[in-house]
């Protein structure tokens, strides 16, 4: 399995799906092909990168299924129910989410930080998210961390130890192959 397939394996059917920092648009294309949502938003801060995704998804854009935005993260968009943010540094992911989460909660986030994953875990917990999947996997000759999270239920409190923040609770509990290999 490659990195993008592993990330996409956690995407669920939703109302409004967003591929934030979409680059070539491959995740969004998988979402279209699998009829994940009636409305799919693709964003990238780089017009050049977004144009690659627009070219890949031009038929779906013409059909009114995919909507491209040259923007930083979620700026200028709203009502997202599920989002993927992959291939960015953890601090950049935190910056993107810091702009959006005070306005709106997202029902499901699939995050694949390239570094600073412990900071992402801490940020999510502090901002009311439960890490339902949080593990390390090996693909394309590299190790990656993947976090899937959803808002905590009323009254629920999530507490991680320092080791769980550093390595990931699921990694420590289940010892997945990618984590052991790393």
């Amino acid at each position: 399995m490659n990195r993008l397939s592993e990330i996409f394996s956690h995407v669920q059917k939703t109302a409004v799906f967003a591929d934030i920092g979409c680059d070539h648009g491959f995740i969004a294309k998988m979402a279209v092909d699998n009829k994940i949502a009636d409305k799919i938003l693709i964003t990238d801060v780089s017009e050049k990168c977004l144009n690659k995704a627009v070219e890949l998804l031009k038929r779906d854009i013409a059909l009114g299924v995919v909507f491209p935005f040259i923007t930083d993260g979620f700026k200028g968009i709203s009502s997202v129910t599920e989002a993927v943010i992959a291939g960015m540094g953890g601090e950049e992911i935190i910056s993107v989410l810091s702009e959006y989460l005070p306005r709106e909660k997202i029902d499901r986030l699939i995050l694949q930080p390239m570094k600073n994953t412990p900071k992402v875990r801490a940020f999510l917990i502090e901002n009311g998210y439960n890490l339902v999947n949080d593990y390390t996997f090996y693909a394309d000759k590299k190790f990656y961390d993947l976090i899937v999270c959803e808002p905590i239920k009323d009254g629920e409190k999530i507490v991680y130890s320092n080791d769980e923040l550093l390595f990931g609770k699921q990694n420590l509990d289940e010892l997945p192959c990618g984590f052991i290999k790393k």
Side-chain angles (χ1 to χ4, degrees), residues 88-140:
M88 293 181 201
E91 290 178 346
E92 183 65 22
I93 290 173
I94 291 168
S95 176
V96 166
L97 292 174
S98 293
E99 296 271 336
Y100 192 76
L101 294 183
R103 293 188 283 139
E104 296 183 43
K105 282 282 191 207
I106 299 172
D107 295 342
R108 187 173 176 83
L109 289 165
I110 299 108
L111 310 172
Q112 188 270 295
M114 298 302 280
K115 58 183 180 176
N116 296 313
T117 304
K119 290 181 179 181
V120 175
R121 289 183 185 110
F123 172 84
L124 292 167
I125 292 166
E126 289 167 16
N127 284 274
Y129 277 84
N130 181 20
L131 286 59
V132 296
N133 280 294
D134 176 13
Y135 64 95
T136 301
F137 68 96
Y138 184 77
D140 310 320

Side-chain angles (χ1 to χ4, degrees), residues 167-180:
F167 299 111
K169 186 174 182 356
Q170 187 174 352
N171 281 334
L172 294 175
D173 289 348
E174 298 174 13
L175 302 172
C177 292
F179 179 66
I180 296 298

Side-chain angles (χ1 to χ4, degrees), residues 147-164:
I147 299 171
V148 180
C149 61
E150 299 170 351
I152 61 170
K153 295 170 179 56
D154 289 337
E156 190 176 16
K157 182 154 175 68
I158 306 297
V159 178
Y160 268 44
S161 70
N162 287 336
D163 283 348
E164 289 168 336

